[in-house]
Amino acid sequence: MANVTEILGQRIRFYRKQKGISQEQLSKLADLHPTYIGQIERGEKNASIETIYKISMGLQIPIIQLLEKIDEYPYSLSESLEERDKKGTTSRSIPLQAYDLISEQNTEDQKNLLNILIYSLKLKR
């Protein structure tokens, strides 16, 4: 089973960096302590729904964006591909891994990756 706290923390860090703001800036926007933001991002603290809401408002994104598909991860993000393979979770999680890789990119790179995928599928036909 996935470590939901770890996944949520990585998502918060991703969106914070995408917005170009520091942990301290996010802490002010979310009315939380900067140390607490860091602990959440590292998966060390289990945030309440109220805290997650404050962070989403600070990031100016819908709370659902932080929680989307979080329960569908059959692995922990800290597990290597080999560890996932041993558990048999790699193949059933390929779409989720692709989703993670693409969503971590900036918008321009996401568009380019989508175009590559579309082009690759056309070549296959």
Side-chain angles (χ1 to χ4, degrees), residues 16 20-23 25 31-32 34 39 44 47 54 57 59 65 69 76-78 81 85 87 94 98 107 111 120 124:
R16 177 181 59 76
I21 59 176
S22 68
Q23 287 180 349
Q25 289 169 316
D31 194 29
L32 298 167
Q39 291 170 328
E44 297 170 358
K54 286 180 172 184
M57 293 296 99
L59 292 170
Q65 201 166 335
K69 297 187 182 289
S76 170
L77 294 176
S78 61
L81 195 54
D85 231 4
K87 292 181 181 178
I94 290 172
T107 305
K111 288 176 185 177
S120 298
K124 187 177 172 183

Side-chain angles (χ1 to χ4, degrees), residues 95-124:
L96 291 174
Q97 291 176 59
Y99 173 84
D100 279 344
L101 287 171
I102 292 170
S103 65
E104 289 174 1
Q105 307 306 311
N106 63 44
T107 305
E108 187 62 33
D109 288 344
Q110 287 177 357
K111 288 176 185 177
N112 290 335
L113 288 167
L114 180 59
N115 285 331
I116 290 168
L117 180 59
I118 291 168
Y119 181 74
S120 298
L121 290 172
K122 284 180 182 178
L123 287 176
K124 187 177 172 183

Side-chain angles (χ1 to χ4, degrees), residues 18-104:
Q18 189 180 52
K19 301 267 182 187
I21 59 176
S22 68
Q23 287 180 349
E24 188 170 293
Q25 289 169 316
L26 177 57
S27 72
K28 287 177 184 173
L29 293 168
D31 194 29
L32 298 167
H33 195 278
T35 303
Y36 189 49
I37 296 290
Q39 291 170 328
I40 292 171
E41 286 187 0
R42 291 187 301 274
E44 297 170 358
K45 291 286 184 179
N46 193 1
S48 69
I49 193 71
E50 183 175 342
T51 299
I52 297 167
Y53 176 75
K54 286 180 172 184
I55 291 170
S56 73
M57 293 296 99
L59 292 170
Q60 297 180 330
I61 60 172
I63 192 170
I64 192 67
Q65 201 166 335
L66 292 174
L67 302 173
E68 184 177 43
K69 297 187 182 289
I70 207 162
D71 60 338
E72 295 182 21
Y73 284 80
Y75 56 86
S76 170
L77 294 176
S78 61
E79 290 180 55
S80 69
L81 195 54
E82 293 78 24
E83 290 171 318
R84 295 177 203 169
D85 231 4
K86 287 177 189 172
K87 292 181 181 178
T89 56
T90 305
S91 62
R92 68 178 179 202
S93 65
I94 290 172
L96 291 174
Q97 291 176 59
Y99 173 84
D100 279 344
L101 287 171
I102 292 170
S103 65
E104 289 174 1

